[in-house]
Amino acid sequence: MSEKPPLSDSEIYDALHNAWLMLASEAGATEFGNNTLKAARLSLFTLQMTLMMKMEGATDQMPSVPSPHSD
């Protein structure tokens, strides 16, 4: 069985977008569930935009992840 190659940045972006689409119109049965879905959508969107910025050369940092070189 052959091993799958690592995902490209474009493939990762597509996977994040598909996950966002899957949750885009969903609502939780409880306030906690609904807030969890909102947080998941925001996280997926933020990761998508950060990856896009990286692909365009606009950033080399993940959101809210401190640089290992900062003191």
Side-chain angles (χ1 to χ4, degrees), residues 17-27 36-38 40-41 44:
H17 186 67
N18 288 335
W20 185 89
L21 286 174
M22 189 172 74
L23 299 175
S25 62
E26 297 298 327
T36 301
L37 287 170
K38 288 178 185 179
R41 288 189 291 261
L44 289 165

Side-chain angles (χ1 to χ4, degrees), residues 14-60:
D14 290 342
L16 290 169
H17 186 67
N18 288 335
W20 185 89
L21 286 174
M22 189 172 74
L23 299 175
S25 62
E26 297 298 327
T30 65
E31 183 178 357
F32 184 81
N34 205 44
N35 288 338
T36 301
L37 287 170
K38 288 178 185 179
R41 288 189 291 261
L42 178 59
S43 295
L44 289 165
F45 176 78
T46 302
L47 289 168
Q48 280 181 270
M49 293 304 106
T50 303
L51 182 57
M52 183 183 295
M53 290 171 60
K54 172 64 175 163
M55 290 166 50
E56 294 177 354
T59 186
D60 61 356

Side-chain angles (χ1 to χ4, degrees), residues 1-23:
M1 196 187 246
S2 64
E3 191 172 313
K4 288 175 57 175
L7 297 175
S8 69
D9 287 351
S10 293
E11 291 170 323
I12 294 168
Y13 177 89
D14 290 342
L16 290 169
H17 186 67
N18 288 335
W20 185 89
L21 286 174
M22 189 172 74
L23 299 175

